[in-house]
Amino acid sequence: MGKASRTKVEVTRREKIAAQRAAARRAEQRRRILIASGSILVVIAIVVVFVVVKLSSSSTPPAATSASNGPTGAALTAVVDKVTSVPASTLDAVGDGGAPWQSLQSGVIKPVTGSPLTENGKPEMLFIGAEYCPYCGAQRWAMIVALSRFGTFSGLSTIHSSSSDAYANTPTWTFLHAKYSSPYLTFTSVETTTNVPDSSSPSGYGTLQTPTAAQEALESKYSTGTIPFIDFGNKYVSIGSSYLPSVLAGLSWSQIATDLSNPNSSVAKAVDGTANYITAAICKMTGNQPASACTPAVKSLESQL
């Protein structure tokens, strides 16, 4: 083979080696690109899973959240306005409402003796109840009607009693986030549990508020744990519901609120009648002030306490 031929063969061999190396580099680049792309896809998948889990967890209410199907917005405002402004003429016309508790032997306001219960220099009305409790649910309607004659509520929310207890799904209220202001008395409420079942809780429902040691002492002194428990300045106590929750069965919050201003309705006789006795007990705490609440009709009930 001549020199020229050998040179041509050598060039061809070098070109093949260069081509092979270039092909190898391109293959390595493709491999790296695929690895990088795969890593990015894995990161994107992880982020998507995290977002989905986060959204799912945020849409699930905590176990202690109360269940409510009541009115909201303007509808709630309208109901609150009706419940907190029952005309005095209607309340006077209802009177004792037929004393709804006479057949229950429950919810009777009885005198007690002990140190005065006060808060910020004013007589204090203490309520201990629970959101699942239908009897508490019934009593709250009357309490709101009565207390609204002495002061102002804000933050009232509608709930219903437990769906698995007696008088299931009684439409009612919760005092959990409510505020009350009055120049005549202080109102303190303790909502111990929700209306949502919780198998991990001793009560069977989610825990909300815990009574103070002093509040527990009062409840233990006068009650065996029955709720609702109401202490009127430690002058009177009421244990249990003053009327059967069945009076409210099948009615909406709006229907109940409207019936409160009809003295001939069964709702007014039960709720307003109870409210008048609660008003009488509060009037005994406040020295019959104000006169707009402590009317002659209410004063006539004071002697029955």
Side-chain angles (χ1 to χ4, degrees):
M1 179 181 296
K3 183 177 180 179
S5 298
R6 287 197 300 270
T7 301
K8 185 176 181 180
V9 170
E10 182 65 25
V11 170
T12 302
R13 187 177 67 83
R14 286 198 299 267
E15 288 176 346
K16 288 181 178 181
I17 293 173
Q20 291 172 351
R21 288 176 177 174
R25 285 195 298 270
R26 288 195 296 271
E28 178 64 19
Q29 289 175 345
R30 287 195 297 271
R31 187 180 69 84
R32 290 180 179 179
I33 291 173
L34 288 174
I35 292 174
S37 300
S39 299
I40 293 172
L41 290 174
V42 169
V43 171
I44 292 174
I46 292 173
V47 171
V48 169
V49 170
F50 176 79
V51 170
V52 170
V53 170
K54 185 68 175 177
L55 290 174
S56 298
S57 62
S58 64
S59 64
T60 303
T65 299
S66 306
S68 172
N69 295 315
T72 59
L76 174 60
T77 299
V79 171
V80 170
D81 287 346
K82 288 181 180 180
V83 178
T84 57
S85 60
V86 178
S89 58
T90 298
L91 292 165
D92 286 348
V94 170
D96 67 4
W101 54 69
Q102 294 302 320
S103 60
L104 294 178
Q105 294 301 307
S106 177
V108 179
I109 300 175
K110 299 179 179 179
V112 295
T113 57
S115 300
L117 181 63
T118 62
E119 178 71 23
N120 296 326
K122 294 182 287 188
E124 179 182 7
M125 177 177 166
L126 170 66
F127 165 80
I128 298 178
E131 292 183 345
Y132 77 86
C133 165
Y135 304 99
C136 305
Q139 205 74 353
R140 286 192 202 93
W141 285 95
M143 292 171 63
I144 293 171
V145 172
L147 283 165
S148 295
R149 306 186 74 175
F150 299 87
T152 304
F153 276 105
S154 63
L156 287 169
S157 299
T158 56
I159 60 168
H160 54 70
S161 67
S162 171
S163 60
S164 58
D165 206 327
Y167 305 105
N169 297 315
T170 295
T172 183
W173 304 83
T174 178
F175 293 129
L176 180 62
H177 299 298
K179 304 294 183 183
Y180 179 75
S181 176
S182 169
Y184 306 102
L185 78 154
T186 298
F187 173 61
T188 302
S189 62
V190 182
E191 300 283 13
T192 58
T193 70
T194 70
N195 55 3
V196 180
D198 182 355
S199 58
S200 65
S201 172
S203 68
Y205 295 90
T207 301
L208 286 179
Q209 298 174 311
T210 302
T212 65
Q215 291 167 345
E216 285 187 338
L218 283 174
E219 184 181 19
S220 298
K221 181 178 180 180
Y222 302 119
S223 172
T224 58
T226 300
I227 53 175
F229 171 79
I230 307 174
D231 187 312
F232 299 89
N234 226 15
K235 290 179 176 289
Y236 302 93
V237 296
S238 172
I239 303 168
S241 174
S242 301
Y243 64 96
L244 289 175
S246 57
V247 173
L248 310 175
L251 300 176
S252 68
W253 285 266
S254 180
Q255 288 172 319
I256 296 169
T258 298
D259 283 351
L260 291 175
S261 294
N262 176 7
N264 296 316
S265 70
S266 58
V267 168
K269 290 177 180 179
V271 177
D272 292 348
T274 298
N276 281 336
Y277 273 98
I278 293 175
T279 301
I282 296 175
C283 286
K284 295 286 283 187
M285 295 165 56
T286 66
N288 285 319
Q289 295 296 322
S292 59
C294 305
T295 63
V298 169
K299 289 181 180 179
S300 69
L301 300 178
E302 292 181 18
S303 61
Q304 300 181 33
L305 299 179

